[in-house]
């Protein structure tokens, strides 16, 4: 049968065995090696980075070695810093803080993942393949390490969560318009505050849809023959965060006779 021992990658260990009375031990790197790595009841291994098997030969009288050597397996545990999903790293905040969820991609069974706010040291914020922090507006860094038993990945994987404030609903400069059938109207709005860096997009539906115009404080409607409502939203300068849409009613009356 084989004997087993587990250590962390980049470390060494000392293997020990107790021979029967009248026998002696020799340590080998393979089951058929003719030159021993060491003799005696113990063998200090070199620094190991991969699982390695050593073999113990038992001799009686110092000359006659047994036909079979006993394997000693040194399992080397080498947790790897995880890869993180980008989902949840760019978010839009409707207040001063916003929650998000971060996750490990392809987690390894038997591995524990610890989350931190610093690249080394510090106190673990949470453990698991996911972590749901609440972050302020701006950039907040997080770091994750992998742990197997007492072995820790040599480095933590870092990720930045970028939270962008959702712009305020635009201020309507044209709140309602009345035109005659066969005419168009020019609508206008401004961001709130006007120095926010947000841009304006125009629609003919209250949510979803395809913009009729983008990055413009004004919008000229097509020729209209019926009353119609148009909508404008503010989009943040970064992060593609959008406000709720403000509506502008264009009332169309029959042409004068």
């Amino acid at each position: 049968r084989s004997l087993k021992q587990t250590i962390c990658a980049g470390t060494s260990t000392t293997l020990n065995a107790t021979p029967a009375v009248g026998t002696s031990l020799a340590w080998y790197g393979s089951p058929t090696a003719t030159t021993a790595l060491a003799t005696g009841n113990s063998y200090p291994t070199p620094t190991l980075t991969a699982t390695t098997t050593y073999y113990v030969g038992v001799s009686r009288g110092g000359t006659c070695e047994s036909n079979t050597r006993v394997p000693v397996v040194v399992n080397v545990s080498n947790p790897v810093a995880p890869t993180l999903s980008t989902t949840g790293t760019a978010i839009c905040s409707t207040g001063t803080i916003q929650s998000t969820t971060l996750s490990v991609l392809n987690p390894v069974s038997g591995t524990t993942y610890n989350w931190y706010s610093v690249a080394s040291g510090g106190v673990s914020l949470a453990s698991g393949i996911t972590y749901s922090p609440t972050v302020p507006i701006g950039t907040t860094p997080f770091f994750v390490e992998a742990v197997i038993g007492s072995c820790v990945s040599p480095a933590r994987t870092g990720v930045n969560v970028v939270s962008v404030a959702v712009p305020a609903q635009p201020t309507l400069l044209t709140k309602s318009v009345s035109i005659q059938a066969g005419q168009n109207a020019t609508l206008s709005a401004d961001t709130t505050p006007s120095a926010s860096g947000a841009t304006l997009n125009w629609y003919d539906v209250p949510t979803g849809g395809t913009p009729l115009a983008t990055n413009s404080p004004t919008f000229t409607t097509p020729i209209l023959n019926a009353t119609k409502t148009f909508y404008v939203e503010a989009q943040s300068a970064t992060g593609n965060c959008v406000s709720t849409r403000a509506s502008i009613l264009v009332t169309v009356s029959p042409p004068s006779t």
Side-chain angles (χ1 to χ4, degrees):
R1 65 188 181 90
S2 63
L3 305 176
K4 295 184 179 180
Q5 184 173 336
T6 298
I7 64 172
C8 299
T11 64
S12 60
T13 187
T14 297
L15 305 177
N16 296 288
T18 302
V21 176
T23 63
S24 59
L25 305 180
W27 301 82
Y28 297 89
S30 78
T32 58
T34 57
T35 302
L37 299 172
T39 58
N41 296 356
S42 63
Y43 169 61
T45 72
T47 297
L48 299 177
T49 58
T51 295
T52 304
T53 302
Y54 296 97
Y55 299 85
V56 183
V58 181
S59 298
R60 184 173 297 276
T63 55
C64 300
E65 185 175 291
S66 60
N67 293 330
T68 303
R69 293 173 180 170
V70 178
V72 180
V73 180
V74 181
N75 289 313
V76 175
S77 181
N78 187 21
V80 178
T83 300
L84 301 180
S85 171
T86 57
T87 301
T89 60
I91 61 175
C92 298
S93 180
T94 56
T96 56
I97 57 174
Q98 186 72 33
S99 63
T100 188
T101 297
L102 307 174
S103 59
V104 174
L105 281 178
N106 303 316
V108 178
S109 178
T111 301
T112 299
Y113 298 97
N114 296 327
W115 299 78
Y116 294 83
S117 61
V118 290
S120 62
V123 177
S124 175
L125 302 171
S127 295
I129 60 174
T130 62
Y131 172 48
S132 298
T134 298
V135 298
I137 292 170
T139 300
T140 304
F142 294 99
F143 302 86
V144 192
E145 69 183 12
V147 180
I148 301 176
S150 61
C151 304
V152 181
S153 56
R156 294 174 184 170
T157 300
V159 64
N160 285 328
V161 175
V162 179
S163 179
V164 175
V166 172
Q169 190 181 73
T171 299
L172 299 178
L173 303 181
T174 307
K175 295 188 176 180
S176 64
V177 183
S178 296
I179 61 173
Q180 292 184 345
Q183 295 180 335
N184 55 24
T186 297
L187 313 177
S188 61
D190 194 8
T191 57
T192 306
S194 57
S196 66
T199 56
L200 299 179
N201 305 320
W202 298 83
Y203 294 83
D204 58 3
V205 289
T207 59
T210 301
L212 304 173
T214 59
N215 192 21
S216 175
T218 63
F219 168 64
T220 300
T221 71
I223 298 296
L224 298 176
N225 291 300
T227 296
K228 187 174 181 64
T229 301
F230 294 90
Y231 303 86
V232 59
E233 71 182 12
Q235 179 178 322
S236 61
T238 60
N240 295 323
C241 299
V242 295
S243 69
T244 56
R245 295 175 187 173
S247 62
I248 303 176
L249 178 66
V250 179
T251 302
V252 178
S253 57
S256 57
T257 57

